[in-house]
Amino acid sequence: MGVGRNTISWTLFILCLCDWTAAQISFSVTEEADKGTVVGSLAKALNVNVRDLETRNLNIVSGYSKKYFDADLKTGDLYVNERIDREELCPNTVKCTINLELILTDPMVHHRIEVVIVDLNDNAPIFVEKLHSLNISELSPTGEHFLLPLAIDADTGRHSVKTYRLSPNEYFSLDVQSSGDHSVSAELVLLKALDREKQAVVKLNLTAVDGGNPAKTGSLNINVNVLDANDNTPSFNKTLYKARVDEDAPTGSVVIQLSATDSDEGDNARVVYSFVKRGNFNPADVFSINGESGEITVKNNLDYEAESAYEFHVQARDQGSSPRSTNVKLLVEVVDVNDNAPVIAVTSLMNPVKEDAEIGSVVALVTVTDRDDGKNGQTKCKISGSVPFKLKSNYKNYYSLVVDGHLDRETLSSYNVMITAVDEGNPPLSSTDVITVHVSDVNDNPPRFLEHVINIYVKENSPVGVLIHTMTAVDPDVGENARVTYSLDGGSTLMSVASVVNINSETGDIISLQSFNYEEMKTFQFKVQATDSGVPPLSSNVTVNVLVLDENDNSPAILPPYSEHGSVNSESIPYSAEAGYFVAKIRAVDADSGYNALLSYHLSEPKGNNLFRIGTSTGEIRTKRRMSDNDLKSHPLVVLVCDNGEPSLSATVSIEVVVVENTAAIQTQFRHVPIKEESFSDLNLYLLIAIVSVSVIFLLSLITLMAVKCHRTDGTFSRYSAPMITTHPDGSWSYSKSTQQYDVCFSSDTLKSDVVVFPAPFPPADGDLISINGGDTFTRTQTLPSTEKPKVPSADWRYSASLRAGGVMQSSVHMEESSVMQGAQGVLVQNWPTASSAADAEGGEVSPPMGAGVDSNSWHFRYGPGGPGAPPQHLKPGEVPPEAFIIPGSPAIISIRQNQGGEDDKSDFITFGKKEEAKKKKKKKKEKKDKKDKGKDDGDE
């Protein structure tokens, strides 16, 4: 112990890894060091000022039951806090370390401290036995080895047993064997043949010496009993046997089969096997051996984590009268099996966590340990579920649980973080641990009123100090952050508002400080501010409208002239006044509003008056009947004006009505109150202007419509003349053409060259003279000028695209002989052929049947506004149908395509077939058919 107190050494290692949490510091201290012994300077190792250690909340966390080390925040030193016994802390371990976690805040810094516990040579080697006996035959040859017991030393490393010494004697020497990482063993070597008759017992002393300075020793007395007689010693075929066995091997599993042979015969050659107990380990506690066969099996459960290997000796002894034996070393390695699940240890650092904690803030330290070896002890740790936290790897199996998302206590006040650790064994084992992280409140929500604007209704003349409303604001925070106080926020009018109302800062009760008068103040407005008690405080405002409700506290007031001071309220009426004669009009007002200001007029005196009446709502006094001679000449009237309040208030006015003979006397004798006519109001003026404006607009629209209707005439088409058609001696003909263009097709069997042309509904203003020659070509020969251009119709004449080939059209229109199309002055146009068109509603259409081509003879044409079944069209004398131009002769059906002034007018032609040409083609077609029937191929179509 004294040596331990005087020999304290420390070594500082800083491992700078990539991560902020990967810094590692290493110290060393000898075991049994006194409390308070300084291990090393944390301030120097961390490169921080000593004064910062306390302000940055230095915290040391360890996973041990005892707090072996602590930090002195004043000096920055790490010192011993508990007595450390290395043999108790790390039994059977060469290197003994204590791992600590050091954490600094503001900013957060995490270090791993490794303190190596240096072993002291405070334990001497000891032998389990006090006396060891050996039976050696006197016939044993020199050089034969005899195994000796092992000495036990609780110290490790260089302080463990390093050698053995044998007391001086003439028969034996000592052979010390070192097995590397394993213990040092010693064997007796026979140097000189024994003679039982000369010395039956040889006493020796074996001393075990450790490697300390100074060295410690332990001794064992050995008695060698000299036996008679056995010539041969059993021998094994190996000097060292090795075996492997799984730690989960069941009881009875075979570990190894040993075999030893003896050259003797009989009992001297019959070998029996047994374990050799050395030190404090007895192989028979773990394994079983068959004495006859040498088979070693598993006796009890193996545990790799408790003992990874077993080294012991097996003895083979013959059964002679003087038995001889030999020993062999057996090393049994226990193979690790993944039979230990990871263990999760959590050290909480910040719980609860503030809801405004930044991302990356450390909440807790997580340590995962697995007692297995290799991959079976390698673990991975993760968080299950969706939570705003994550695990950050610090060093090997050390993790930090950090904030990884936004926290909101008002949404969720606590989280159950499930941590799962899985090792890499086969099959893998896992374990889970749930950490409950509570979220503490931060003042991040201002108080909130339930309404944006609050209306308060207060009766006028209410007493002072009455509660008129209670304000309520809610704050989703908790504690002081949710404790709300109320105040008036009137801005620039705070002083005036504070004289009218007051608010209780705790309860939010608004109390009136004066009695309200509706006639003086109908409404006023102020703001109430709600402020929480957080740091910093948050607040919000709400607008409060106070509306004073009217009470019937004002009596009606009579208006002049009947209310003038010193005036005599008298009126005169002529004796000849008829019933309904206007006498006077009483006017009154009431300062109240609503029903409280709704006035009614009544005659209260004289009672039962049947000469006068008063309008209840107008206040006009009129006569009820004509005067009679029995009526008095003077009639005092008392008019009562009442409002409609509850209770009703009233006012009276007295008028004396005098009956006179004529109107002149009325004007000279008595004061007359003139009747003021009501002025013409602005509203009536606006209504009058609006009615006049609407009437004028309606009349103008009607006149315009009539003018447009009258301007139209029925002779629209009379100003257009029919196109000019000219015949020529060679059989060709021509007609006038405007920008409109026609495609005319004949069928091959047309009998005559006469043609019926269907142009646009309106003749062109100017056009080209188009001639049709016998060569079946269509040319433009002359342009006819015109002074005005008509409107172009929208008729859409269509023909099959297969009928067009360049600028010349082949004859492909079937001539309907049975159909008659004639047009003359005053002649009924009828018997129109039938065809299909896209302009049926316009009056005509042309289309080929299904499959119509160049040689198709099934074209049909229909013209007429109503289609098939429509009534015939009548023409006036001298009028040409606007949709048809007719050339006398046999009718033919023409497919016409109309282009209305397009760019491609020059590319369209009209092709006519003559009778002779049609006959030739028909004859040629018949000849070709005959040739085909005979099987001849001309090769010419």
Side-chain angles (χ1 to χ4, degrees):
M1 293 293 289
V3 176
R5 296 188 182 97
N6 296 327
T7 59
I8 299 176
S9 62
W10 61 274
T11 305
L12 175 64
F13 299 93
I14 301 176
L15 300 178
C16 299
L17 302 179
C18 297
D19 197 69
W20 65 274
T21 59
Q24 181 175 351
I25 302 171
S26 180
F27 296 100
S28 64
V29 64
T30 58
E31 67 173 330
E32 307 293 342
D34 294 334
K35 287 186 178 181
T37 301
V38 176
V39 178
S41 176
L42 293 177
K44 195 177 294 184
L46 297 176
N47 196 22
V48 296
N49 196 309
V50 176
R51 290 173 295 179
D52 294 339
L53 295 178
E54 187 172 1
T55 58
R56 294 181 62 184
N57 192 21
L58 176 65
N59 191 9
I60 296 177
V61 180
S62 67
Y64 299 91
S65 59
K66 294 182 180 181
K67 190 173 184 180
Y68 291 106
F69 300 98
D70 205 349
D72 189 348
L73 299 181
K74 294 182 179 180
T75 63
D77 294 330
L78 182 69
Y79 64 91
V80 177
N81 189 52
E82 290 283 345
R83 174 184 171 274
I84 304 173
D85 187 355
R86 193 201 67 80
E87 287 74 27
E88 178 185 354
L89 186 65
C90 306
N92 302 322
T93 304
V94 176
K95 182 180 180 180
C96 183
T97 60
I98 296 178
N99 295 321
L100 304 175
E101 300 293 325
L102 187 145
I103 298 170
L104 288 174
T105 58
D106 299 324
M108 177 70 72
V109 178
H110 177 269
H111 292 275
R112 184 175 182 269
I113 302 176
E114 181 186 69
V115 181
V116 179
I117 308 302
V118 180
D119 182 43
L120 289 178
N121 191 22
D122 55 347
N123 293 282
I126 60 173
F127 290 90
V128 178
E129 300 171 295
K130 299 298 181 183
L131 177 65
H132 182 71
S133 297
L134 285 175
N135 296 319
I136 302 176
S137 174
E138 62 180 348
L139 297 179
S140 297
T142 58
E144 186 174 2
H145 289 66
F146 302 93
L147 190 66
L148 296 177
L150 285 176
I152 301 171
D153 196 336
D155 298 324
T156 59
R158 64 188 182 90
H159 294 151
S160 62
V161 177
K162 295 300 180 183
T163 187
Y164 291 89
R165 292 198 297 264
L166 187 66
S167 59
N169 66 91
E170 61 178 323
Y171 294 101
F172 298 95
S173 67
L174 193 64
D175 182 14
V176 179
Q177 299 175 352
S178 178
S179 57
D181 294 336
H182 302 287
S183 60
V184 177
S185 63
E187 293 181 349
L188 284 177
V189 180
L190 184 62
L191 299 176
K192 180 181 178 181
L194 297 174
D195 188 358
R196 183 177 179 279
E197 290 71 26
K198 183 178 180 180
Q199 187 175 356
V201 177
V202 180
K203 293 187 177 182
L204 304 173
N205 184 269
L206 180 65
T207 302
V209 183
D210 64 16
N213 186 17
K216 293 182 180 295
T217 61
S219 61
L220 173 67
N221 292 323
I222 301 175
N223 290 336
V224 178
N225 300 314
V226 181
L227 303 177
D228 280 333
N230 204 350
D231 295 334
N232 296 290
T233 301
S235 63
F236 290 95
N237 54 2
K238 293 181 180 180
T239 59
L240 175 66
Y241 285 91
K242 292 183 179 181
R244 292 168 60 89
V245 61
D246 292 338
E247 65 172 324
D248 61 347
T251 302
S253 299
V254 176
V255 178
I256 194 171
Q257 176 77 47
L258 300 179
S259 178
T261 60
D262 196 321
S263 301
D264 295 327
E265 294 182 355
D267 289 341
N268 293 334
R270 188 164 59 87
V271 178
V272 176
Y273 302 92
S274 63
F275 290 124
V276 178
K277 181 181 178 182
R278 304 180 69 202
N280 58 355
F281 173 67
N282 186 5
D285 295 337
V286 182
F287 303 100
S288 297
I289 187 168
N290 190 323
E292 298 295 331
S293 64
E295 182 182 76
I296 297 176
T297 59
V298 177
K299 181 180 180 180
N300 288 326
N301 294 331
L302 303 178
D303 188 2
Y304 172 85
E305 290 71 35
E307 195 71 44
S308 60
Y310 295 94
E311 181 183 328
F312 54 93
H313 286 76
V314 176
Q315 183 184 73
R317 180 187 296 270
D318 60 25
Q319 300 297 308
S321 56
S322 297
R324 305 185 67 175
S325 63
T326 186
N327 299 288
V328 70
K329 184 185 291 185
L330 175 60
L331 180 62
V332 179
E333 296 182 9
V334 180
V335 179
D336 181 45
V337 175
N338 191 25
D339 57 346
N340 291 282
V343 178
I344 301 173
V346 179
T347 302
S348 179
L349 296 180
M350 188 169 56
N351 198 359
V353 182
K354 290 186 177 181
E355 60 178 325
D356 63 346
E358 296 181 356
I359 294 178
S361 300
V362 180
V363 177
L365 295 179
V366 179
T367 304
V368 181
T369 58
D370 195 318
R371 296 179 60 196
D372 294 321
D373 189 37
K375 285 191 174 183
N376 296 332
Q378 296 178 5
T379 60
K380 292 182 180 179
C381 198
K382 65 178 181 179
I383 293 178
S384 302
S386 177
V387 291
F389 302 96
K390 71 175 182 178
L391 285 176
K392 191 173 185 180
S393 178
N394 296 338
Y395 179 80
K396 291 185 178 178
N397 294 331
Y398 294 89
Y399 302 88
S400 294
L401 180 65
V402 299
V403 178
D404 190 42
H406 174 69
L407 302 178
D408 187 6
R409 188 206 63 80
E410 288 73 34
T411 303
L412 194 61
S413 61
S414 65
Y415 294 89
N416 290 325
V417 182
M418 180 179 290
I419 299 177
T420 302
V422 183
D423 61 26
E424 297 183 8
N426 188 17
L429 299 178
S430 63
S431 60
T432 59
D433 192 8
V434 178
I435 305 174
T436 301
V437 180
H438 298 279
V439 182
S440 62
D441 184 52
V442 173
N443 191 27
D444 56 348
N445 292 282
R448 181 174 56 87
F449 289 96
L450 300 181
E451 299 175 353
H452 298 292
V453 177
I454 298 176
N455 295 323
I456 301 175
Y457 298 91
V458 182
K459 292 183 179 181
E460 69 170 328
N461 303 322
S462 59
V464 178
V466 69
L467 175 65
I468 62 175
H469 191 74
T470 299
M471 303 298 296
T472 302
V474 294
D475 194 320
D477 295 323
V478 294
E480 288 295 311
N481 296 333
R483 189 168 65 86
V484 180
T485 58
Y486 303 89
S487 61
L488 294 177
D489 183 15
S492 59
T493 62
L494 180 60
M495 295 302 295
S496 60
V497 173
S499 63
V500 178
V501 294
N502 188 22
I503 188 169
N504 188 314
S505 61
E506 297 296 330
T507 62
D509 294 341
I510 298 178
I511 300 172
S512 63
L513 298 180
Q514 68 179 33
S515 180
F516 300 104
N517 188 349
Y518 175 83
E519 288 71 34
E520 295 178 358
M521 181 172 58
K522 294 180 175 57
T523 181
F524 63 92
Q525 185 184 85
F526 60 91
K527 289 186 177 181
V528 173
Q529 184 180 68
T531 307
D532 59 28
S533 301
V535 178
L538 301 178
S539 62
S540 62
N541 297 333
V542 67
T543 300
V544 179
N545 296 322
V546 179
L547 296 92
V548 181
L549 300 179
D550 182 48
E551 291 289 322
N552 192 25
D553 57 348
N554 291 281
S555 299
I558 308 298
L559 296 178
Y562 300 105
S563 63
E564 292 180 356
H565 181 68
S567 62
V568 178
N569 299 326
S570 63
E571 297 290 343
S572 60
I573 60 173
Y575 178 80
S576 60
E578 298 289 337
Y581 182 81
F582 179 81
V583 177
K585 183 171 184 177
I586 308 301
R587 297 175 182 270
V589 294
D590 195 315
D592 295 323
S593 65
Y595 282 99
N596 296 330
L598 183 61
L599 303 180
S600 60
Y601 302 86
H602 310 276
L603 290 177
S604 61
E605 290 184 8
K607 298 293 184 180
N609 186 289
N610 63 352
L611 183 58
F612 300 97
R613 60 180 175 84
I614 187 170
T616 304
S617 59
T618 61
E620 294 180 352
I621 302 175
R622 295 179 181 273
T623 59
K624 295 171 65 176
R625 57 180 177 79
R626 287 178 58 87
M627 296 292 175
S628 65
D629 295 338
N630 296 328
D631 293 328
L632 299 175
K633 299 301 181 181
S634 177
H635 300 272
L637 302 178
V638 176
V639 179
L640 177 66
V641 182
C642 302
D643 60 24
N644 204 36
E646 287 292 339
S648 177
L649 301 179
S650 62
T652 60
V653 62
S654 298
I655 299 176
E656 185 177 2
V657 181
V658 179
V659 181
V660 296
E661 293 297 333
N662 52 53
T663 306
I666 295 175
Q667 296 176 354
T668 58
Q669 204 170 19
F670 298 99
R671 178 182 178 275
H672 176 69
V673 180
I675 300 173
K676 297 181 181 180
E677 297 293 335
E678 294 289 338
S679 62
F680 192 75
S681 66
D682 293 340
L683 180 60
N684 295 334
L685 178 62
Y686 294 153
L687 291 175
L688 182 60
I689 293 173
I691 292 172
V692 173
S693 301
V694 172
S695 301
V696 171
I697 293 172
F698 174 74
L699 291 175
L700 290 177
S701 302
L702 186 61
I703 293 172
T704 304
L705 182 61
M706 293 175 64
V708 171
K709 289 290 185 179
C710 294
H711 185 263
R712 295 182 179 178
T713 61
D714 296 334
T716 306
F717 302 135
S718 61
R719 53 183 175 175
Y720 301 110
S721 60
M724 180 181 296
I725 302 174
T726 307
T727 58
H728 301 281
D730 58 355
S732 64
W733 59 274
S734 63
Y735 71 98
S736 173
K737 177 182 180 293
S738 68
T739 57
Q740 299 176 349
Q741 182 176 320
Y742 306 87
D743 295 337
V744 181
C745 300
F746 278 20
S747 64
S748 59
D749 57 351
T750 304
L751 299 180
K752 296 182 180 180
S753 62
D754 297 335
V755 66
V756 179
V757 183
F758 295 86
F762 302 97
D766 53 26
D768 296 336
L769 186 61
I770 301 174
S771 63
I772 304 174
N773 300 320
D776 295 342
T777 61
F778 181 78
T779 60
R780 180 181 291 109
T781 60
Q782 184 180 358
T783 301
L784 299 177
S786 177
T787 58
E788 61 177 323
K789 295 182 180 181
K791 297 181 180 179
V792 180
S794 61
D796 185 14
W797 296 91
R798 305 177 186 270
Y799 68 97
S800 174
S802 62
L803 299 179
R804 299 188 59 177
V808 179
M809 304 302 299
Q810 300 296 329
S811 298
S812 61
V813 180
H814 178 66
M815 306 305 294
E816 302 266 354
E817 290 292 345
S818 62
S819 301
V820 178
M821 293 194 299
Q822 296 179 353
Q825 296 181 359
V827 179
L828 178 64
V829 179
Q830 57 184 355
N831 287 335
W832 297 94
T834 301
S836 302
S837 172
D840 183 56
E842 297 288 340
E845 59 187 12
V846 175
S847 68
M850 183 63 69
V854 174
D855 297 328
S856 174
N857 294 325
S858 59
W859 280 80
H860 299 278
F861 176 83
R862 184 189 71 233
Y863 182 81
Q873 181 180 5
H874 295 272
L875 302 177
K876 297 178 181 180
E879 181 181 0
V880 179
E883 279 77 17
F885 296 94
I886 303 172
I887 302 173
S890 298
I893 309 305
I894 303 174
S895 172
I896 301 175
R897 178 179 180 270
Q898 177 177 341
N899 295 328
Q900 300 181 10
E903 291 291 331
D904 56 349
D905 290 349
K906 296 179 181 180
S907 63
D908 293 332
F909 297 90
I910 301 176
T911 306
F912 297 88
K914 292 185 178 180
K915 180 178 179 181
E916 291 80 7
E917 187 68 19
K919 290 181 179 180
K920 290 179 180 180
K921 289 182 178 181
K922 187 174 182 181
K923 183 177 180 181
K924 188 176 182 180
K925 187 175 182 181
K926 186 176 182 182
E927 291 175 357
K928 288 181 179 181
K929 186 177 180 180
D930 295 337
K931 289 179 181 180
K932 289 181 179 180
D933 295 337
K934 295 177 181 180
K936 295 180 180 181
D937 187 6
D938 295 337
D940 181 14
E941 291 186 7

